[in-house]
Amino acid sequence: MRAVRDETVGRLAAAGVPDPEVDAELLLGHVLGLSRGGVQARLVVGGALGEADAATLESLVRRREHREPLQHLTGRAAFRSLELAVGPGVFVPRPETEQVAQLAIDALRATAEPEPIAIDLGSGSGAIALAMATEVPHARVWAVENSPAAFPWTRRNVEEVGAPNLELVFGDLATALTELDGRAAVVISNPPYVPAGELPRDPEVRLHDPEAALYGGPDGLDVVRVLSTRAAELLHPGGLLVIEHAETQSAPIAAILAADGWRAIAHHRDLTSRDRATTALR
């Protein structure tokens, strides 16, 4: 097993995979039905890999060498305390989005409302909505998704997690949930924000994430403009809007929000000190 693990690390490193040790051990664990810690423990005590498992691992490693996302190979993606089902057709949740979700979770916990309403517009895998629903169980959460390719993944994750305080809606974020106008405490979105002429650097994103979840028009902000107006309708006075975006988009997003009458516009950095989210009060 150790020889196979070390060979896999070398192959993935040669292919340019960013964290070859992590991916090698997660792939090995996927094949063996072990956690990464379980794989590391097995490596310490020693052991061999059976022929069938070795053949399965070889197939997965070849796909990863071609930069197919690790999460597509395992079918799972970690997000905060959750493990979500993902695959072709849905955006793979990123670690930096965990911090963006924290902004909404903190706001929900701080509100004096007995059942604050939170809305995740463009929910994708359901990661943000499910994090809010499970971590703030007294909140009432709605997840809105309109992609026919992504929605089955959203529904699957909602059903698997089973949060009783979450409702899933297939609909356009520009028009959905009019019955909640003026009632929401938090509206959050990780919208498509890559400019149409700009290709993402990572092959995993460029080749495998759905275009509808990536590209936001000529300047990347078409959906942000829609969010600004729709969230203003959904939120009650004092409600919070949270938008994830690229590090270069803070200023233009602030200008959009200011023009639409938002207050207390603030930018928030991720763990790499890059601007990653903007918040504003209704």
Side-chain angles (χ1 to χ4, degrees):
M1 277 185 62
R2 181 168 292 280
V4 170
R5 181 262 188 200
D6 291 346
E7 179 190 359
T8 301
V9 170
R11 289 172 60 182
L12 296 182
V17 172
D19 297 300
E21 295 88 356
V22 174
D23 283 24
E25 291 173 1
L26 289 175
L27 286 174
L28 192 54
H30 176 66
V31 171
L32 297 175
L34 297 172
S35 66
R36 187 184 177 202
V39 169
Q40 293 171 338
R42 187 76 63 85
L43 292 171
V44 170
V45 301
L49 198 64
E51 290 186 9
D53 288 338
T56 301
L57 179 66
E58 173 63 25
S59 173
L60 293 173
V61 172
R62 287 179 181 176
R63 291 167 64 186
R64 190 68 185 103
E65 284 180 302
H66 288 90
R67 305 300 293 273
E68 189 170 343
L70 174 73
Q71 296 86 348
H72 285 196
L73 303 180
T74 64
R76 311 299 291 184
F79 188 82
R80 295 178 68 90
S81 64
L82 303 167
E83 188 177 87
L84 304 172
V86 295
V90 71
F91 188 78
V92 175
R94 303 295 195 267
E96 55 267 26
T97 304
E98 297 184 11
Q99 295 176 259
V100 180
Q102 188 68 54
L103 298 169
I105 289 167
D106 288 344
L108 287 173
R109 288 173 173 165
T111 182
E113 300 172 61
E115 292 185 325
I117 290 173
I119 301 170
D120 177 17
L121 294 176
S123 195
S125 67
I128 293 175
L130 286 165
M132 293 190 296
T134 55
E135 296 184 45
V136 193
H138 66 278
R140 297 170 61 197
V141 181
W142 274 260
V144 178
E145 177 55 57
N146 75 336
S147 165
F151 190 77
W153 294 104
T154 326
R155 182 172 55 208
R156 175 178 171 181
N157 286 317
V158 168
E159 291 173 352
E160 284 188 6
V161 174
N165 57 334
L166 187 150
E167 293 192 31
L168 175 59
V169 175
F170 183 83
D172 190 329
L173 61 81
T175 56
L177 302 178
T178 54
E179 69 275 15
L180 296 180
D181 282 1
R183 298 173 57 195
V186 172
V187 172
I188 184 170
S189 182
N190 179 11
Y193 54 73
V194 178
E198 182 179 310
L199 291 177
R201 179 180 66 255
D202 296 334
E204 290 86 347
V205 177
R206 185 173 66 250
L207 301 176
H208 296 281
D209 273 331
E211 290 189 4
L214 290 176
Y215 300 105
D219 63 355
L221 301 178
D222 282 0
V223 181
V224 172
R225 295 182 179 91
V226 176
L227 286 170
S228 178
T229 56
R230 183 67 192 117
E233 297 167 342
L234 287 165
L235 290 166
H236 59 55
L240 181 74
L241 170 63
V242 184
I243 302 174
E244 181 171 332
H245 55 76
E247 61 182 298
T248 59
Q249 294 174 324
S250 297
I253 288 175
I256 291 169
L257 296 177
D260 288 341
W262 290 89
R263 302 180 294 110
I265 299 167
H267 307 301
H268 306 267
R269 294 184 173 183
D270 61 21
L271 292 176
T272 64
S273 296
R274 296 180 174 91
D275 280 357
R276 181 57 58 192
T278 293
T279 57
L281 294 179
R282 170 75 168 82

